[in-house]
Amino acid sequence: MQVEFNPLFPAKFRKSIYFDDDNIRDYIFMGYTIPYLIDRQNDKIVVLDIFKWMER
């Protein structure tokens, strides 16, 4: 399985419901949640976790 993500629009997805930070977003894909950090200082996207919605 391959997840496609467009780094030109990192804030496209919803603000994370698991973190209280506007720079952390939740990417939902096939029942999985992938919270990621938008690191604007270093111009990077950092994946924080990958989990199935039923496991949280």
mmCIF file with all atom_site columns, all heavy atoms in Angstrom, residues 5-15 22-27 36-40 43-46:
data_model
loop_
_atom_site.group_PDB
_atom_site.id
_atom_site.type_symbol
_atom_site.label_atom_id
_atom_site.label_alt_id
_atom_site.label_comp_id
_atom_site.label_asym_id
_atom_site.label_entity_id
_atom_site.label_seq_id
_atom_site.pdbx_PDB_ins_code
_atom_site.Cartn_x
_atom_site.Cartn_y
_atom_site.Cartn_z
_atom_site.occupancy
_atom_site.B_iso_or_equiv
_atom_site.pdbx_formal_charge
_atom_site.auth_seq_id
_atom_site.auth_comp_id
_atom_site.auth_asym_id
_atom_site.auth_atom_id
_atom_site.pdbx_PDB_model_num
ATOM 1   N N   . PHE A 1 5  ? 0.803   11.832 -0.686 1.00 0.00 ? 5  PHE A N   1
ATOM 2   C CA  . PHE A 1 5  ? 0.646   13.042 0.109  1.00 0.00 ? 5  PHE A CA  1
ATOM 3   C C   . PHE A 1 5  ? 1.287   14.192 -0.656 1.00 0.00 ? 5  PHE A C   1
ATOM 4   O O   . PHE A 1 5  ? 2.430   14.081 -1.088 1.00 0.00 ? 5  PHE A O   1
ATOM 5   C CB  . PHE A 1 5  ? 1.325   12.845 1.467  1.00 0.00 ? 5  PHE A CB  1
ATOM 6   C CG  . PHE A 1 5  ? 1.200   14.024 2.377  1.00 0.00 ? 5  PHE A CG  1
ATOM 7   C CD1 . PHE A 1 5  ? 0.037   14.225 3.102  1.00 0.00 ? 5  PHE A CD1 1
ATOM 8   C CD2 . PHE A 1 5  ? 2.229   14.922 2.507  1.00 0.00 ? 5  PHE A CD2 1
ATOM 9   C CE1 . PHE A 1 5  ? -0.086  15.311 3.941  1.00 0.00 ? 5  PHE A CE1 1
ATOM 10  C CE2 . PHE A 1 5  ? 2.123   16.010 3.345  1.00 0.00 ? 5  PHE A CE2 1
ATOM 11  C CZ  . PHE A 1 5  ? 0.950   16.205 4.066  1.00 0.00 ? 5  PHE A CZ  1
ATOM 12  N N   . ASN A 1 6  ? 0.560   15.272 -0.838 1.00 0.00 ? 6  ASN A N   1
ATOM 13  C CA  . ASN A 1 6  ? 1.080   16.425 -1.549 1.00 0.00 ? 6  ASN A CA  1
ATOM 14  C C   . ASN A 1 6  ? 1.693   17.400 -0.546 1.00 0.00 ? 6  ASN A C   1
ATOM 15  O O   . ASN A 1 6  ? 0.975   18.072 0.189  1.00 0.00 ? 6  ASN A O   1
ATOM 16  C CB  . ASN A 1 6  ? -0.040  17.105 -2.336 1.00 0.00 ? 6  ASN A CB  1
ATOM 17  C CG  . ASN A 1 6  ? 0.466   18.207 -3.223 1.00 0.00 ? 6  ASN A CG  1
ATOM 18  O OD1 . ASN A 1 6  ? 1.595   18.662 -3.084 1.00 0.00 ? 6  ASN A OD1 1
ATOM 19  N ND2 . ASN A 1 6  ? -0.364  18.655 -4.138 1.00 0.00 ? 6  ASN A ND2 1
ATOM 20  N N   . PRO A 1 7  ? 3.025   17.504 -0.515 1.00 0.00 ? 7  PRO A N   1
ATOM 21  C CA  . PRO A 1 7  ? 3.686   18.384 0.464  1.00 0.00 ? 7  PRO A CA  1
ATOM 22  C C   . PRO A 1 7  ? 3.491   19.879 0.197  1.00 0.00 ? 7  PRO A C   1
ATOM 23  O O   . PRO A 1 7  ? 3.855   20.705 1.016  1.00 0.00 ? 7  PRO A O   1
ATOM 24  C CB  . PRO A 1 7  ? 5.156   17.996 0.361  1.00 0.00 ? 7  PRO A CB  1
ATOM 25  C CG  . PRO A 1 7  ? 5.305   17.420 -1.001 1.00 0.00 ? 7  PRO A CG  1
ATOM 26  C CD  . PRO A 1 7  ? 3.978   16.789 -1.344 1.00 0.00 ? 7  PRO A CD  1
ATOM 27  N N   . LEU A 1 8  ? 2.899   20.233 -0.947 1.00 0.00 ? 8  LEU A N   1
ATOM 28  C CA  . LEU A 1 8  ? 2.666   21.647 -1.234 1.00 0.00 ? 8  LEU A CA  1
ATOM 29  C C   . LEU A 1 8  ? 1.521   22.225 -0.410 1.00 0.00 ? 8  LEU A C   1
ATOM 30  O O   . LEU A 1 8  ? 1.430   23.435 -0.233 1.00 0.00 ? 8  LEU A O   1
ATOM 31  C CB  . LEU A 1 8  ? 2.363   21.833 -2.726 1.00 0.00 ? 8  LEU A CB  1
ATOM 32  C CG  . LEU A 1 8  ? 3.498   21.457 -3.669 1.00 0.00 ? 8  LEU A CG  1
ATOM 33  C CD1 . LEU A 1 8  ? 3.041   21.618 -5.119 1.00 0.00 ? 8  LEU A CD1 1
ATOM 34  C CD2 . LEU A 1 8  ? 4.737   22.300 -3.409 1.00 0.00 ? 8  LEU A CD2 1
ATOM 35  N N   . PHE A 1 9  ? 0.648   21.358 0.103  1.00 0.00 ? 9  PHE A N   1
ATOM 36  C CA  . PHE A 1 9  ? -0.491  21.796 0.907  1.00 0.00 ? 9  PHE A CA  1
ATOM 37  C C   . PHE A 1 9  ? -0.552  21.015 2.216  1.00 0.00 ? 9  PHE A C   1
ATOM 38  O O   . PHE A 1 9  ? -1.482  20.253 2.456  1.00 0.00 ? 9  PHE A O   1
ATOM 39  C CB  . PHE A 1 9  ? -1.800  21.606 0.121  1.00 0.00 ? 9  PHE A CB  1
ATOM 40  C CG  . PHE A 1 9  ? -1.813  22.321 -1.197 1.00 0.00 ? 9  PHE A CG  1
ATOM 41  C CD1 . PHE A 1 9  ? -1.623  21.624 -2.375 1.00 0.00 ? 9  PHE A CD1 1
ATOM 42  C CD2 . PHE A 1 9  ? -1.997  23.692 -1.252 1.00 0.00 ? 9  PHE A CD2 1
ATOM 43  C CE1 . PHE A 1 9  ? -1.627  22.279 -3.596 1.00 0.00 ? 9  PHE A CE1 1
ATOM 44  C CE2 . PHE A 1 9  ? -2.005  24.356 -2.469 1.00 0.00 ? 9  PHE A CE2 1
ATOM 45  C CZ  . PHE A 1 9  ? -1.810  23.657 -3.641 1.00 0.00 ? 9  PHE A CZ  1
ATOM 46  N N   . PRO A 1 10 ? 0.418   21.188 3.100  1.00 0.00 ? 10 PRO A N   1
ATOM 47  C CA  . PRO A 1 10 ? 0.468   20.360 4.315  1.00 0.00 ? 10 PRO A CA  1
ATOM 48  C C   . PRO A 1 10 ? -0.678  20.625 5.297  1.00 0.00 ? 10 PRO A C   1
ATOM 49  O O   . PRO A 1 10 ? -1.020  19.764 6.079  1.00 0.00 ? 10 PRO A O   1
ATOM 50  C CB  . PRO A 1 10 ? 1.805   20.722 4.947  1.00 0.00 ? 10 PRO A CB  1
ATOM 51  C CG  . PRO A 1 10 ? 2.089   22.093 4.450  1.00 0.00 ? 10 PRO A CG  1
ATOM 52  C CD  . PRO A 1 10 ? 1.518   22.137 3.056  1.00 0.00 ? 10 PRO A CD  1
ATOM 53  N N   . ALA A 1 11 ? -1.300  21.791 5.222  1.00 0.00 ? 11 ALA A N   1
ATOM 54  C CA  . ALA A 1 11 ? -2.379  22.108 6.157  1.00 0.00 ? 11 ALA A CA  1
ATOM 55  C C   . ALA A 1 11 ? -3.751  21.734 5.589  1.00 0.00 ? 11 ALA A C   1
ATOM 56  O O   . ALA A 1 11 ? -4.774  22.121 6.143  1.00 0.00 ? 11 ALA A O   1
ATOM 57  C CB  . ALA A 1 11 ? -2.342  23.588 6.513  1.00 0.00 ? 11 ALA A CB  1
ATOM 58  N N   . LYS A 1 12 ? -3.773  20.969 4.522  1.00 0.00 ? 12 LYS A N   1
ATOM 59  C CA  . LYS A 1 12 ? -5.019  20.586 3.860  1.00 0.00 ? 12 LYS A CA  1
ATOM 60  C C   . LYS A 1 12 ? -5.925  19.743 4.763  1.00 0.00 ? 12 LYS A C   1
ATOM 61  O O   . LYS A 1 12 ? -7.143  19.865 4.725  1.00 0.00 ? 12 LYS A O   1
ATOM 62  C CB  . LYS A 1 12 ? -4.697  19.801 2.592  1.00 0.00 ? 12 LYS A CB  1
ATOM 63  C CG  . LYS A 1 12 ? -5.885  19.238 1.885  1.00 0.00 ? 12 LYS A CG  1
ATOM 64  C CD  . LYS A 1 12 ? -5.460  18.440 0.679  1.00 0.00 ? 12 LYS A CD  1
ATOM 65  C CE  . LYS A 1 12 ? -6.653  17.779 0.024  1.00 0.00 ? 12 LYS A CE  1
ATOM 66  N NZ  . LYS A 1 12 ? -6.270  16.987 -1.132 1.00 0.00 ? 12 LYS A NZ  1
ATOM 67  N N   . PHE A 1 13 ? -5.342  18.899 5.570  1.00 0.00 ? 13 PHE A N   1
ATOM 68  C CA  . PHE A 1 13 ? -6.112  17.979 6.393  1.00 0.00 ? 13 PHE A CA  1
ATOM 69  C C   . PHE A 1 13 ? -6.476  18.611 7.731  1.00 0.00 ? 13 PHE A C   1
ATOM 70  O O   . PHE A 1 13 ? -5.910  19.620 8.141  1.00 0.00 ? 13 PHE A O   1
ATOM 71  C CB  . PHE A 1 13 ? -5.340  16.675 6.580  1.00 0.00 ? 13 PHE A CB  1
ATOM 72  C CG  . PHE A 1 13 ? -5.049  16.019 5.256  1.00 0.00 ? 13 PHE A CG  1
ATOM 73  C CD1 . PHE A 1 13 ? -3.793  16.097 4.692  1.00 0.00 ? 13 PHE A CD1 1
ATOM 74  C CD2 . PHE A 1 13 ? -6.050  15.365 4.561  1.00 0.00 ? 13 PHE A CD2 1
ATOM 75  C CE1 . PHE A 1 13 ? -3.533  15.521 3.458  1.00 0.00 ? 13 PHE A CE1 1
ATOM 76  C CE2 . PHE A 1 13 ? -5.800  14.788 3.329  1.00 0.00 ? 13 PHE A CE2 1
ATOM 77  C CZ  . PHE A 1 13 ? -4.531  14.870 2.771  1.00 0.00 ? 13 PHE A CZ  1
ATOM 78  N N   . ARG A 1 14 ? -7.404  17.957 8.428  1.00 0.00 ? 14 ARG A N   1
ATOM 79  C CA  . ARG A 1 14 ? -7.954  18.539 9.655  1.00 0.00 ? 14 ARG A CA  1
ATOM 80  C C   . ARG A 1 14 ? -6.908  18.668 10.764 1.00 0.00 ? 14 ARG A C   1
ATOM 81  O O   . ARG A 1 14 ? -5.953  17.896 10.831 1.00 0.00 ? 14 ARG A O   1
ATOM 82  C CB  . ARG A 1 14 ? -9.127  17.708 10.160 1.00 0.00 ? 14 ARG A CB  1
ATOM 83  C CG  . ARG A 1 14 ? -8.687  16.385 10.775 1.00 0.00 ? 14 ARG A CG  1
ATOM 84  C CD  . ARG A 1 14 ? -9.856  15.628 11.322 1.00 0.00 ? 14 ARG A CD  1
ATOM 85  N NE  . ARG A 1 14 ? -9.365  14.450 12.031 1.00 0.00 ? 14 ARG A NE  1
ATOM 86  C CZ  . ARG A 1 14 ? -10.127 13.451 12.383 1.00 0.00 ? 14 ARG A CZ  1
ATOM 87  N NH1 . ARG A 1 14 ? -11.406 13.455 12.100 1.00 0.00 ? 14 ARG A NH1 1
ATOM 88  N NH2 . ARG A 1 14 ? -9.629  12.436 13.041 1.00 0.00 ? 14 ARG A NH2 1
ATOM 89  N N   . LYS A 1 15 ? -7.149  19.645 11.631 1.00 0.00 ? 15 LYS A N   1
ATOM 90  C CA  . LYS A 1 15 ? -6.324  19.786 12.830 1.00 0.00 ? 15 LYS A CA  1
ATOM 91  C C   . LYS A 1 15 ? -6.497  18.523 13.659 1.00 0.00 ? 15 LYS A C   1
ATOM 92  O O   . LYS A 1 15 ? -7.599  17.988 13.764 1.00 0.00 ? 15 LYS A O   1
ATOM 93  C CB  . LYS A 1 15 ? -6.780  21.011 13.615 1.00 0.00 ? 15 LYS A CB  1
ATOM 94  C CG  . LYS A 1 15 ? -5.993  21.282 14.859 1.00 0.00 ? 15 LYS A CG  1
ATOM 95  C CD  . LYS A 1 15 ? -6.580  22.488 15.573 1.00 0.00 ? 15 LYS A CD  1
ATOM 96  C CE  . LYS A 1 15 ? -5.979  22.675 16.933 1.00 0.00 ? 15 LYS A CE  1
ATOM 97  N NZ  . LYS A 1 15 ? -6.155  21.552 17.827 1.00 0.00 ? 15 LYS A NZ  1
ATOM 98  N N   . ASP A 1 22 ? -1.910  23.562 16.323 1.00 0.00 ? 22 ASP A N   1
ATOM 99  C CA  . ASP A 1 22 ? -2.381  23.813 14.957 1.00 0.00 ? 22 ASP A CA  1
ATOM 100 C C   . ASP A 1 22 ? -1.440  23.260 13.896 1.00 0.00 ? 22 ASP A C   1
ATOM 101 O O   . ASP A 1 22 ? -1.829  23.122 12.735 1.00 0.00 ? 22 ASP A O   1
ATOM 102 C CB  . ASP A 1 22 ? -2.574  25.312 14.729 1.00 0.00 ? 22 ASP A CB  1
ATOM 103 C CG  . ASP A 1 22 ? -3.800  25.839 15.432 1.00 0.00 ? 22 ASP A CG  1
ATOM 104 O OD1 . ASP A 1 22 ? -4.714  25.044 15.719 1.00 0.00 ? 22 ASP A OD1 1
ATOM 105 O OD2 . ASP A 1 22 ? -3.848  27.056 15.700 1.00 0.00 ? 22 ASP A OD2 1
ATOM 106 N N   . ASN A 1 23 ? -0.206  22.979 14.250 1.00 0.00 ? 23 ASN A N   1
ATOM 107 C CA  . ASN A 1 23 ? 0.760   22.450 13.292 1.00 0.00 ? 23 ASN A CA  1
ATOM 108 C C   . ASN A 1 23 ? 0.739   20.923 13.198 1.00 0.00 ? 23 ASN A C   1
ATOM 109 O O   . ASN A 1 23 ? 1.503   20.352 12.437 1.00 0.00 ? 23 ASN A O   1
ATOM 110 C CB  . ASN A 1 23 ? 2.176   22.915 13.643 1.00 0.00 ? 23 ASN A CB  1
ATOM 111 C CG  . ASN A 1 23 ? 2.339   24.391 13.397 1.00 0.00 ? 23 ASN A CG  1
ATOM 112 O OD1 . ASN A 1 23 ? 1.878   24.908 12.391 1.00 0.00 ? 23 ASN A OD1 1
ATOM 113 N ND2 . ASN A 1 23 ? 2.970   25.080 14.323 1.00 0.00 ? 23 ASN A ND2 1
ATOM 114 N N   . ILE A 1 24 ? -0.116  20.291 13.965 1.00 0.00 ? 24 ILE A N   1
ATOM 115 C CA  . ILE A 1 24 ? -0.257  18.831 13.891 1.00 0.00 ? 24 ILE A CA  1
ATOM 116 C C   . ILE A 1 24 ? -1.599  18.524 13.244 1.00 0.00 ? 24 ILE A C   1
ATOM 117 O O   . ILE A 1 24 ? -2.642  18.998 13.700 1.00 0.00 ? 24 ILE A O   1
ATOM 118 C CB  . ILE A 1 24 ? -0.141  18.173 15.277 1.00 0.00 ? 24 ILE A CB  1
ATOM 119 C CG1 . ILE A 1 24 ? 1.227   18.484 15.878 1.00 0.00 ? 24 ILE A CG1 1
ATOM 120 C CG2 . ILE A 1 24 ? -0.346  16.666 15.163 1.00 0.00 ? 24 ILE A CG2 1
ATOM 121 C CD1 . ILE A 1 24 ? 1.437   17.924 17.270 1.00 0.00 ? 24 ILE A CD1 1
ATOM 122 N N   . ARG A 1 25 ? -1.557  17.757 12.174 1.00 0.00 ? 25 ARG A N   1
ATOM 123 C CA  . ARG A 1 25 ? -2.737  17.430 11.380 1.00 0.00 ? 25 ARG A CA  1
ATOM 124 C C   . ARG A 1 25 ? -2.962  15.929 11.358 1.00 0.00 ? 25 ARG A C   1
ATOM 125 O O   . ARG A 1 25 ? -2.030  15.148 11.571 1.00 0.00 ? 25 ARG A O   1
ATOM 126 C CB  . ARG A 1 25 ? -2.555  17.928 9.939  1.00 0.00 ? 25 ARG A CB  1
ATOM 127 C CG  . ARG A 1 25 ? -2.323  19.411 9.828  1.00 0.00 ? 25 ARG A CG  1
ATOM 128 C CD  . ARG A 1 25 ? -3.590  20.133 10.181 1.00 0.00 ? 25 ARG A CD  1
ATOM 129 N NE  . ARG A 1 25 ? -3.395  21.561 10.326 1.00 0.00 ? 25 ARG A NE  1
ATOM 130 C CZ  . ARG A 1 25 ? -4.313  22.436 10.004 1.00 0.00 ? 25 ARG A CZ  1
ATOM 131 N NH1 . ARG A 1 25 ? -5.464  22.055 9.512  1.00 0.00 ? 25 ARG A NH1 1
ATOM 132 N NH2 . ARG A 1 25 ? -4.097  23.707 10.195 1.00 0.00 ? 25 ARG A NH2 1
ATOM 133 N N   . ASP A 1 26 ? -4.196  15.520 11.102 1.00 0.00 ? 26 ASP A N   1
ATOM 134 C CA  . ASP A 1 26 ? -4.545  14.104 10.976 1.00 0.00 ? 26 ASP A CA  1
ATOM 135 C C   . ASP A 1 26 ? -4.847  13.788 9.521  1.00 0.00 ? 26 ASP A C   1
ATOM 136 O O   . ASP A 1 26 ? -5.789  14.357 8.940  1.00 0.00 ? 26 ASP A O   1
ATOM 137 C CB  . ASP A 1 26 ? -5.785  13.769 11.808 1.00 0.00 ? 26 ASP A CB  1
ATOM 138 C CG  . ASP A 1 26 ? -5.524  13.751 13.293 1.00 0.00 ? 26 ASP A CG  1
ATOM 139 O OD1 . ASP A 1 26 ? -4.359  13.619 13.700 1.00 0.00 ? 26 ASP A OD1 1
ATOM 140 O OD2 . ASP A 1 26 ? -6.502  13.849 14.062 1.00 0.00 ? 26 ASP A OD2 1
ATOM 141 N N   . TYR A 1 27 ? -4.078  12.895 8.952  1.00 0.00 ? 27 TYR A N   1
ATOM 142 C CA  . TYR A 1 27 ? -4.342  12.397 7.602  1.00 0.00 ? 27 TYR A CA  1
ATOM 143 C C   . TYR A 1 27 ? -5.035  11.053 7.768  1.00 0.00 ? 27 TYR A C   1
ATOM 144 O O   . TYR A 1 27 ? -4.498  10.155 8.405  1.00 0.00 ? 27 TYR A O   1
ATOM 145 C CB  . TYR A 1 27 ? -3.029  12.257 6.832  1.00 0.00 ? 27 TYR A CB  1
ATOM 146 C CG  . TYR A 1 27 ? -3.164  11.705 5.435  1.00 0.00 ? 27 TYR A CG  1
ATOM 147 C CD1 . TYR A 1 27 ? -4.134  12.169 4.570  1.00 0.00 ? 27 TYR A CD1 1
ATOM 148 C CD2 . TYR A 1 27 ? -2.299  10.730 4.984  1.00 0.00 ? 27 TYR A CD2 1
ATOM 149 C CE1 . TYR A 1 27 ? -4.241  11.680 3.290  1.00 0.00 ? 27 TYR A CE1 1
ATOM 150 C CE2 . TYR A 1 27 ? -2.394  10.222 3.701  1.00 0.00 ? 27 TYR A CE2 1
ATOM 151 C CZ  . TYR A 1 27 ? -3.376  10.707 2.852  1.00 0.00 ? 27 TYR A CZ  1
ATOM 152 O OH  . TYR A 1 27 ? -3.482  10.214 1.581  1.00 0.00 ? 27 TYR A OH  1
ATOM 153 N N   . TYR A 1 36 ? 0.625   14.056 11.721 1.00 0.00 ? 36 TYR A N   1
ATOM 154 C CA  . TYR A 1 36 ? 1.928   14.558 11.272 1.00 0.00 ? 36 TYR A CA  1
ATOM 155 C C   . TYR A 1 36 ? 2.102   16.005 11.704 1.00 0.00 ? 36 TYR A C   1
ATOM 156 O O   . TYR A 1 36 ? 1.140   16.751 11.867 1.00 0.00 ? 36 TYR A O   1
ATOM 157 C CB  . TYR A 1 36 ? 2.075   14.410 9.750  1.00 0.00 ? 36 TYR A CB  1
ATOM 158 C CG  . TYR A 1 36 ? 1.100   15.228 8.939  1.00 0.00 ? 36 TYR A CG  1
ATOM 159 C CD1 . TYR A 1 36 ? 1.423   16.517 8.523  1.00 0.00 ? 36 TYR A CD1 1
ATOM 160 C CD2 . TYR A 1 36 ? -0.136  14.719 8.592  1.00 0.00 ? 36 TYR A CD2 1
ATOM 161 C CE1 . TYR A 1 36 ? 0.527   17.265 7.775  1.00 0.00 ? 36 TYR A CE1 1
ATOM 162 C CE2 . TYR A 1 36 ? -1.035  15.458 7.845  1.00 0.00 ? 36 TYR A CE2 1
ATOM 163 C CZ  . TYR A 1 36 ? -0.698  16.732 7.434  1.00 0.00 ? 36 TYR A CZ  1
ATOM 164 O OH  . TYR A 1 36 ? -1.577  17.477 6.701  1.00 0.00 ? 36 TYR A OH  1
ATOM 165 N N   . LEU A 1 37 ? 3.347   16.373 11.899 1.00 0.00 ? 37 LEU A N   1
ATOM 166 C CA  . LEU A 1 37 ? 3.727   17.717 12.324 1.00 0.00 ? 37 LEU A CA  1
ATOM 167 C C   . LEU A 1 37 ? 4.219   18.502 11.120 1.00 0.00 ? 37 LEU A C   1
ATOM 168 O O   . LEU A 1 37 ? 5.041   18.006 10.340 1.00 0.00 ? 37 LEU A O   1
ATOM 169 C CB  . LEU A 1 37 ? 4.836   17.643 13.375 1.00 0.00 ? 37 LEU A CB  1
ATOM 170 C CG  . LEU A 1 37 ? 5.509   18.953 13.763 1.00 0.00 ? 37 LEU A CG  1
ATOM 171 C CD1 . LEU A 1 37 ? 4.531   19.855 14.512 1.00 0.00 ? 37 LEU A CD1 1
ATOM 172 C CD2 . LEU A 1 37 ? 6.739   18.687 14.596 1.00 0.00 ? 37 LEU A CD2 1
ATOM 173 N N   . ILE A 1 38 ? 3.739   19.720 10.971 1.00 0.00 ? 38 ILE A N   1
ATOM 174 C CA  . ILE A 1 38 ? 4.246   20.626 9.944  1.00 0.00 ? 38 ILE A CA  1
ATOM 175 C C   . ILE A 1 38 ? 5.354   21.443 10.596 1.00 0.00 ? 38 ILE A C   1
ATOM 176 O O   . ILE A 1 38 ? 5.093   22.333 11.401 1.00 0.00 ? 38 ILE A O   1
ATOM 177 C CB  . ILE A 1 38 ? 3.136   21.553 9.420  1.00 0.00 ? 38 ILE A CB  1
ATOM 178 C CG1 . ILE A 1 38 ? 1.965   20.725 8.891  1.00 0.00 ? 38 ILE A CG1 1
ATOM 179 C CG2 . ILE A 1 38 ? 3.689   22.480 8.349  1.00 0.00 ? 38 ILE A CG2 1
ATOM 180 C CD1 . ILE A 1 38 ? 0.721   21.546 8.584  1.00 0.00 ? 38 ILE A CD1 1
ATOM 181 N N   . ASP A 1 39 ? 6.589   21.104 10.292 1.00 0.00 ? 39 ASP A N   1
ATOM 182 C CA  . ASP A 1 39 ? 7.752   21.788 10.850 1.00 0.00 ? 39 ASP A CA  1
ATOM 183 C C   . ASP A 1 39 ? 8.161   22.894 9.878  1.00 0.00 ? 39 ASP A C   1
ATOM 184 O O   . ASP A 1 39 ? 8.913   22.676 8.934  1.00 0.00 ? 39 ASP A O   1
ATOM 185 C CB  . ASP A 1 39 ? 8.895   20.788 11.055 1.00 0.00 ? 39 ASP A CB  1
ATOM 186 C CG  . ASP A 1 39 ? 10.105  21.398 11.716 1.00 0.00 ? 39 ASP A CG  1
ATOM 187 O OD1 . ASP A 1 39 ? 10.144  22.634 11.906 1.00 0.00 ? 39 ASP A OD1 1
ATOM 188 O OD2 . ASP A 1 39 ? 11.046  20.635 12.036 1.00 0.00 ? 39 ASP A OD2 1
ATOM 189 N N   . ARG A 1 40 ? 7.618   24.074 10.100 1.00 0.00 ? 40 ARG A N   1
ATOM 190 C CA  . ARG A 1 40 ? 7.841   25.183 9.167  1.00 0.00 ? 40 ARG A CA  1
ATOM 191 C C   . ARG A 1 40 ? 9.271   25.736 9.250  1.00 0.00 ? 40 ARG A C   1
ATOM 192 O O   . ARG A 1 40 ? 9.799   26.216 8.254  1.00 0.00 ? 40 ARG A O   1
ATOM 193 C CB  . ARG A 1 40 ? 6.829   26.288 9.419  1.00 0.00 ? 40 ARG A CB  1
ATOM 194 C CG  . ARG A 1 40 ? 5.399   25.810 9.171  1.00 0.00 ? 40 ARG A CG  1
ATOM 195 C CD  . ARG A 1 40 ? 4.388   26.929 9.324  1.00 0.00 ? 40 ARG A CD  1
ATOM 196 N NE  . ARG A 1 40 ? 3.024   26.434 9.406  1.00 0.00 ? 40 ARG A NE  1
ATOM 197 C CZ  . ARG A 1 40 ? 2.285   26.069 8.383  1.00 0.00 ? 40 ARG A CZ  1
ATOM 198 N NH1 . ARG A 1 40 ? 2.795   26.112 7.183  1.00 0.00 ? 40 ARG A NH1 1
ATOM 199 N NH2 . ARG A 1 40 ? 1.049   25.648 8.558  1.00 0.00 ? 40 ARG A NH2 1
ATOM 200 N N   . ASP A 1 43 ? 11.208  23.282 7.206  1.00 0.00 ? 43 ASP A N   1
ATOM 201 C CA  . ASP A 1 43 ? 10.523  22.969 5.956  1.00 0.00 ? 43 ASP A CA  1
ATOM 202 C C   . ASP A 1 43 ? 10.381  21.458 5.762  1.00 0.00 ? 43 ASP A C   1
ATOM 203 O O   . ASP A 1 43 ? 10.761  20.902 4.730  1.00 0.00 ? 43 ASP A O   1
ATOM 204 C CB  . ASP A 1 43 ? 11.282  23.602 4.778  1.00 0.00 ? 43 ASP A CB  1
ATOM 205 C CG  . ASP A 1 43 ? 10.411  23.704 3.539  1.00 0.00 ? 43 ASP A CG  1
ATOM 206 O OD1 . ASP A 1 43 ? 9.183   23.783 3.682  1.00 0.00 ? 43 ASP A OD1 1
ATOM 207 O OD2 . ASP A 1 43 ? 10.973  23.678 2.422  1.00 0.00 ? 43 ASP A OD2 1
ATOM 208 N N   . LYS A 1 44 ? 9.807   20.786 6.804  1.00 0.00 ? 44 LYS A N   1
ATOM 209 C CA  . LYS A 1 44 ? 9.651   19.336 6.787  1.00 0.00 ? 44 LYS A CA  1
ATOM 210 C C   . LYS A 1 44 ? 8.275   18.929 7.287  1.00 0.00 ? 44 LYS A C   1
ATOM 211 O O   . LYS A 1 44 ? 7.614   19.673 8.008  1.00 0.00 ? 44 LYS A O   1
ATOM 212 C CB  . LYS A 1 44 ? 10.692  18.660 7.673  1.00 0.00 ? 44 LYS A CB  1
ATOM 213 C CG  . LYS A 1 44 ? 12.095  18.777 7.173  1.00 0.00 ? 44 LYS A CG  1
ATOM 214 C CD  . LYS A 1 44 ? 13.040  18.007 8.060  1.00 0.00 ? 44 LYS A CD  1
ATOM 215 C CE  . LYS A 1 44 ? 14.455  18.144 7.526  1.00 0.00 ? 44 LYS A CE  1
ATOM 216 N NZ  . LYS A 1 44 ? 15.382  17.351 8.284  1.00 0.00 ? 44 LYS A NZ  1
ATOM 217 N N   . ILE A 1 45 ? 7.884   17.731 6.926  1.00 0.00 ? 45 ILE A N   1
ATOM 218 C CA  . ILE A 1 45 ? 6.693   17.077 7.451  1.00 0.00 ? 45 ILE A CA  1
ATOM 219 C C   . ILE A 1 45 ? 7.195   15.882 8.257  1.00 0.00 ? 45 ILE A C   1
ATOM 220 O O   . ILE A 1 45 ? 7.957   15.060 7.750  1.00 0.00 ? 45 ILE A O   1
ATOM 221 C CB  . ILE A 1 45 ? 5.779   16.566 6.315  1.00 0.00 ? 45 ILE A CB  1
ATOM 222 C CG1 . ILE A 1 45 ? 5.367   17.696 5.384  1.00 0.00 ? 45 ILE A CG1 1
ATOM 223 C CG2 . ILE A 1 45 ? 4.584   15.821 6.884  1.00 0.00 ? 45 ILE A CG2 1
ATOM 224 C CD1 . ILE A 1 45 ? 4.471   18.720 6.005  1.00 0.00 ? 45 ILE A CD1 1
ATOM 225 N N   . VAL A 1 46 ? 6.789   15.779 9.516  1.00 0.00 ? 46 VAL A N   1
ATOM 226 C CA  . VAL A 1 46 ? 7.248   14.704 10.402 1.00 0.00 ? 46 VAL A CA  1
ATOM 227 C C   . VAL A 1 46 ? 6.048   13.834 10.780 1.00 0.00 ? 46 VAL A C   1
ATOM 228 O O   . VAL A 1 46 ? 5.095   14.324 11.395 1.00 0.00 ? 46 VAL A O   1
ATOM 229 C CB  . VAL A 1 46 ? 7.900   15.286 11.677 1.00 0.00 ? 46 VAL A CB  1
ATOM 230 C CG1 . VAL A 1 46 ? 8.388   14.165 12.584 1.00 0.00 ? 46 VAL A CG1 1
ATOM 231 C CG2 . VAL A 1 46 ? 9.026   16.238 11.325 1.00 0.00 ? 46 VAL A CG2 1
#
